[in-house]
Structure formats: C-alpha cells, structure tokens
Amino acid sequence: MPPEPVPDWQEQREAMAFGPACPQPESRSQSIYATELGAVSEDCLSLNVWAPEGVRDAPVFVWIHGGSLTTGAGSQPMYDGARLAREQGLVVVTLNYRLGVLGYLAHPGLSAESEQGISGNYGLMDQILALEWVERNIGAFGGNSENVTVAGESAGALSVVLLMTSPKARGLFDKAIAQSAYMVTMGALKDEANGLPSAESVGSDLAERMGVDDIDALRAMPADKLVRLSGKAGFFPFAVIDDVYLTDQMVATFDKGEQAPVPVLAGFNEGEIRSLRFLLPPIPKQDAYEMAIRNGYGELADTFLSLYPSDSLESSMLATTRDAMYGWTAERLAASQALQGFPSFFYLFDHGYPAADRAGLHAFHASEIPYVFGTASEAVAPWPEIPDTDEERDLSRAMMAYWASFARDGRPVAEGAAEWPSYGERATGMVFAERPQSWPMLARDRFALHEEVVCRRRGASDIPWNWNVGVLSPPLPPKDSKCQ
C-alpha cells in the first residue's frame, strides 16, 4: 500500500534511537557489505537527523542508502552524519524505504486496489513522503527547506535519478548527487516494453511460483517468509513505469528535458565490478571473446576492442560492465543537465589503499562512501580496513568539502585542493586517486561508444540496455541517424 504519514502529536517524543530497518534478506557473512541491522519491522519508514548545535538555515543533505533496492538502512554506521554536520555545517538526513518484494511488487490485485490503478514503486513513494516531511519540518532542526540536496550511492543513486524523473518529486529538492547510479531499462506496469514483460505479469508469475493465488494470501504471509520466498523465486525489485510516479524510461525523460531542473554531481568508481562479480559473465577464451564482440557490435566492434582488448580479458570485461552501467550513467547525467544549462560535475573515484588492493578490490563499488562521510573508522571487517594516515585523512577532508560546498551553493570547492571544473564541451571531470585532480575528456571515448549502443537499442524498442553488454550483447540494431 502507499505509505501513510504518522499522525501529528503535541507531547514531547523520545527520538534518540534509530528506527527499525525494513525487512530484507540476511547479509552474507563474507560479503564486504555485510552489516548488523538491529531491529527489523514492516513499519520502517523513519528518518535520522544530525544538525550542528544552534544552526539556522543550513543546507540540507538527504542521503538514500544503496543495496540493490533489496538491503540496507539509513542507520548503517558508514552513513553517520555527525562529522558532516559538525565540520561542514550541514543538516544531514538519512532514511529508510521499503525494499524487495515489499517495496517494488506490481500485481493486478494491487493495481485494482489503487484509486490510480497502479502498483509497484512503493519504495519510491516512501522516499517522496520522506522528502515531503523534510520540506515541512527540517526548519525546526535548523535546516533550510529551500536548499535541499538529495544524494545516494548505487541503488540510492538510482533512487536519486528516479526522483529527478518523477513528477511527484518535483520541487522537493534543489540539487542532486548520484554516486554509481545505473540508468537501466525499466518495465512498464501493464505492457511489454523494451524487451521486458509487464511488471504486473512479473508479479502474477511470482505469486504463482510462491504457491499463492491472490494478494490476500500474500499479505497473510509473515514478512520474513515473503522476503525469503520471493528471493528464492528470483524476484528482482525495480521501479516501474506506471504513468503516475514514473512516466517514461529514465533516459527518455532526460532527452525530453522533463527531469528536475537542478545542478548535479555524478560519478563512478574505477573498480565497481571487482566487488560485484555476480554481474560479470564467465570469462571466455580470447578467440571466443573476439567472436562474441564482433557478432554483438558489428561495425562498432573495432572501436569496442580498442577500448576493451582481448589481450587482457578479465580487465576488459570488468571495465565493460562498469562503463556500460555506471560510467555511462554518470556522464549521461552530467551531460544531460549541462545541456539544459544547469551546473554539472563529473568524477571518477580511482583511489586504492593496501587492504583493498591486496584483496583485488582497488576502488571497489561504494568504497568512496567513508571518504564522503568522514566515517573511515566505522568501516569494520569484512570491509577492507582503511589506514589511519595523513594521506587518507586529507583525501576524506577534500571530498567532504567538495560534497558539502556543492550542497551549499551548487559548486564543489575544497580549500587547498584542485579546482573542479564544470562538465562541458571538454567533458572535464575530477579523478580522486591519491589526491583530487581534474582530467579533461575523462572517459569520453568509452561514453561515446555506450551512448550509441543505448541509443540504437532504444530505437529498436525491443531490446533492454546496460545489463546485456560485452560477450552477452545481442546483435546491435542497424545504424540510426539519431544516434550519431
């Protein structure tokens, strides 16, 4: 069901403990992303606020956690907003939103209950309700409701993009930060589109595989059982084009200039896929690799092989998936907003440190988060230990300052660190390695290749994009004058 606001109250209310996390699968103990969540409940839409003492009209930084729309919580120690608030003068907000089958199931029975005839997108509805709460109430904590930045990483960054494209979220934020977002194909609620079945048919099929007939039977299941069975049945949560909360594919909304008119800061990590090996296809022999690329990419195969050569197969395949999902999305966001005349800033996080590099996880997915929040000491095993050195502290201070100044006035600035040029014709971005450094034409050749691939697939209208790349690519649709 859509979320409901908590009733108003007059008396003093105890609010010193985190609210419960939303129902989700248990963390795999060996995953570097494993975390202790504490209490779990279906009544989980809560917010956490950190504010400097006595502050007034401070910029507001609203963080949406990642976790593939399946796991995570705003209470995770790495997202602790105390240092950003104290040192950068921000009011920091984190939040929970419904996950998995409870957050993103579409089903004809659910649509029939809705006055608008829709279902799915419940997690997105939670995020919008949270932003509405911020708009009404953040002034009481010293925040400026007219200077709100919405930010997130991975599924949180995907959520930022969805909020940018949702007409229901218009006007609820003033800037956007997307760290490792992925602007992949969405299913439509009732119709097949872009090679995907309708979201309602996916929901009906899921219910059948779980051995239930209707929504009442699904609601009768305990939440933990519903989460467990839906995972075993292969349910993958994602947003839905329902013509109310989302009206078109994300990339199409940007092409039409109908996205939120806000400055954007977007980027990705060099080693995204090193910690996400499940996204990587089996590595073939060299000749099989080249044959698959030529079959899939046609006249673009030579360009592809020059960027992702067959003589370093694992590196090339890691880079292909990274660039098709995260790199292309980050630059697409920056380019789209720049085209509309809004300040846009692009980055690549390419920083490694001994424990991560020894584990083969240089600049892995989400590894920038402790530097943005200044929470390196909260990153406990199995997360690779971040050393307590001057170099690591300096990089974190710089990134905190860039992110906070962007939230403050739309321009990332860090005293004593390199100037961060805005994205433009030279496609300049910032690289965070040992220290921040600007880099003209950062990743431009790779972006151009994947932009043409996505454009052709969109034009064909029956092929998804982003997931099926490299050796998994189906034959590329013919040249299209719109894709030059």
Side-chain angles (χ1 to χ4, degrees):
M1 292 181 177
E4 297 179 359
V6 70
D8 292 342
W9 68 89
Q10 298 299 323
E11 70 280 3
Q12 200 170 64
R13 183 165 179 161
E14 179 71 23
M16 296 303 292
F18 291 115
C22 297
Q24 57 193 274
E26 291 185 4
S27 295
R28 290 180 291 113
S29 60
Q30 297 307 308
S31 169
I32 61 171
Y33 305 111
T35 187
E36 294 291 333
L37 293 173
V40 174
S41 169
E42 289 188 75
D43 186 9
C44 58
L45 175 52
S46 59
L47 297 88
N48 314 302
V49 183
W50 292 263
E53 187 174 356
V55 73
R56 296 183 63 184
D57 291 329
V60 182
F61 182 86
V62 179
W63 178 262
I64 305 174
H65 70 79
S68 301
L69 303 179
T70 302
T71 62
S75 56
Q76 290 175 242
M78 205 176 296
Y79 308 146
D80 187 296
R83 190 174 173 194
L84 270 179
R86 181 177 64 250
E87 296 184 9
Q88 301 296 331
L90 303 180
V91 172
V92 180
V93 180
T94 66
L95 57 96
N96 293 341
Y97 57 97
R98 280 173 288 177
L99 302 165
V101 68
L102 294 168
Y104 294 92
L105 176 70
H107 189 281
L110 292 173
S111 299
E113 294 178 353
S114 165
E115 292 181 359
Q116 299 162 310
I118 62 173
S119 59
N121 291 334
Y122 300 108
L124 180 62
M125 295 178 196
D126 291 351
Q127 295 167 9
I128 291 172
L129 187 61
L131 288 172
E132 291 172 347
W133 186 95
V134 168
E135 183 177 54
R136 290 194 310 274
N137 296 291
I138 206 64
F141 297 86
N144 183 351
S145 63
E146 296 183 357
N147 190 11
V148 175
T149 297
V150 63
E153 184 272 341
S154 193
L158 165 67
S159 298
V160 168
V161 180
L162 293 170
L163 290 165
M164 290 181 71
T165 60
S166 174
K168 292 289 189 179
R170 190 58 48 88
L172 293 177
F173 55 94
D174 307 280
K175 305 175 194 69
I177 297 176
Q179 302 168 210
S180 302
Y182 44 106
M183 196 155 47
V184 299
T185 327
M186 295 187 292
L189 181 63
K190 296 183 180 296
D191 302 309
E192 294 184 12
N194 298 105
L196 297 179
S198 75
E200 285 189 348
S201 69
V202 170
S204 295
D205 181 61
L206 175 68
E208 183 177 333
R209 279 180 285 148
M210 291 171 64
V212 295
D213 297 326
D214 55 28
I215 293 302
D216 289 339
L218 285 172
R219 285 203 176 107
M221 283 189 187
D224 59 344
K225 181 178 180 180
L226 189 59
V227 168
R228 185 174 65 255
L229 291 181
S230 64
K232 286 184 177 179
F235 179 73
F236 181 78
F238 211 75
V240 176
I241 300 171
D242 60 8
D243 294 329
V244 177
Y245 283 86
L246 297 169
T247 59
D248 207 338
Q249 296 290 350
M250 291 175 275
V251 64
T253 299
F254 280 92
D255 282 353
K256 292 183 288 187
E258 295 176 353
Q259 74 274 27
V262 299
V264 70
L265 187 156
F268 68 111
N269 294 4
E270 191 279 335
E272 299 278 10
I273 312 301
R274 291 193 177 101
S275 57
L276 302 174
R277 294 274 177 162
F278 64 90
L279 295 175
L280 197 67
I283 298 175
K285 300 290 187 182
Q286 184 172 358
D287 56 350
Y289 173 83
E290 291 192 8
M291 180 180 298
I293 297 306
R294 295 200 178 279
N295 289 339
Y297 288 85
E299 76 279 5
L300 297 182
D302 287 339
T303 299
F304 185 104
L305 291 169
S306 69
L307 295 170
Y308 309 106
S310 62
D311 57 3
S312 52
L313 276 178
E314 183 178 31
S315 295
S316 290
M317 291 181 66
L318 287 167
T320 295
T321 305
R322 174 199 67 201
D323 293 343
M325 288 182 60
Y326 302 108
W328 171 80
T329 297
E331 188 158 358
R332 191 52 147 78
L333 289 173
S336 296
Q337 294 305 88
L339 189 64
Q340 295 294 323
F342 302 109
S344 303
F345 301 90
F346 177 47
Y347 75 86
L348 170 67
F349 186 79
D350 191 14
H351 179 70
Y353 55 90
D357 290 348
R358 284 195 300 270
L361 295 173
H362 178 87
F364 62 93
H365 185 70
S367 60
E368 84 287 0
I369 294 175
Y371 296 88
V372 170
F373 277 86
T375 53
S377 62
E378 302 291 346
V380 298
W383 192 278
E385 182 180 4
I386 301 172
D388 185 16
T389 63
D390 290 341
E391 292 77 13
E392 299 299 314
R393 288 191 294 269
D394 287 345
L395 180 61
S396 181
R397 277 193 290 266
M399 293 185 69
M400 290 173 69
Y402 283 125
W403 264 242
S405 64
F406 178 81
R408 189 172 298 112
D409 58 26
R411 297 199 68 84
V413 176
E415 185 177 355
E419 179 183 354
W420 191 334
S422 58
Y423 185 93
E425 288 185 6
R426 288 179 56 75
T428 301
M430 185 72 83
V431 175
F432 293 94
E434 283 71 32
R435 62 184 62 85
Q437 179 181 354
S438 64
W439 195 308
M441 303 304 285
L442 173 64
R444 172 40 60 102
D445 290 343
R446 294 177 294 181
F447 171 74
L449 170 67
H450 293 290
E451 174 69 17
E452 180 163 355
V453 170
V454 172
C455 183
R456 289 203 201 179
R457 290 180 174 181
R458 289 173 59 203
S461 76
D462 60 353
I463 308 174
W465 51 88
N466 301 99
W467 301 106
N468 48 348
V469 297
V471 297
L472 298 179
S473 177
L476 195 64
K479 284 185 178 181
D480 186 329
S481 59
K482 298 177 183 178
C483 299
Q484 302 302 313

